[in-house]
Amino acid sequence: MSVNVTSKNFSKFIFDSSEPVLLHFADQTEISRRQEMYLKHFSMEWPHVTIGRVDTVKEPSLAAMYGIEQAPAVKIFKKGRCTASATGLQDNIHLTRLIAK
């Protein structure tokens, strides 16, 4: 469903995508696991959106680069530019609103 994004593949993942990218910043908490369930359903409704997951424990520099202080958090990128973001658990309605921005 989602691609594990690391400092090694981040630039290619974000800047080389012709489709919108939803980047999920997650840790090992229950709320991050719940966010992943929402993203699984979201991906079925929005198959053209590329979904990536950043493990904030393993990739703290990526989290810091985008000011992520708590997980879960999502950022939407279009043509390499961050167009929307949200912190906390986001259901499909909120994810759809973020993509529509």
Side-chain angles (χ1 to χ4, degrees):
M1 178 200 83
S2 65
V3 174
N4 283 324
V5 177
T6 66
S7 55
K8 291 181 181 179
N9 67 356
F10 177 81
S11 291
K12 181 172 177 50
F13 188 78
I14 297 297
F15 299 112
D16 292 352
S17 179
S18 60
E19 301 292 342
V21 174
L22 185 154
L23 198 55
H24 172 218
F25 291 86
D27 54 20
Q28 302 303 318
T29 61
E30 178 63 30
I31 193 166
S32 284
R33 287 191 288 277
R34 286 179 50 207
Q35 183 66 69
E36 288 174 8
M37 290 176 24
Y38 279 121
L39 290 172
K40 183 177 180 180
H41 293 288
F42 178 80
S43 69
M44 289 184 244
E45 295 175 24
W46 291 82
H48 71 283
V49 175
T50 303
I51 298 175
R53 181 184 189 279
V54 175
D55 184 326
T56 59
V57 175
K58 293 179 181 176
E59 297 289 340
S61 62
L62 286 179
M65 182 168 45
Y66 283 97
I68 304 300
E69 296 179 3
Q70 70 178 34
V74 295
K75 294 209 176 269
I76 308 297
F77 293 85
K78 295 179 181 174
K79 298 181 181 177
R81 190 172 69 79
C82 183
T83 60
S85 62
T87 302
L89 188 62
Q90 304 298 313
D91 62 17
N92 286 8
I93 293 170
H94 290 103
L95 294 169
T96 299
R97 288 181 186 154
L98 290 172
I99 285 290
K101 286 186 176 184

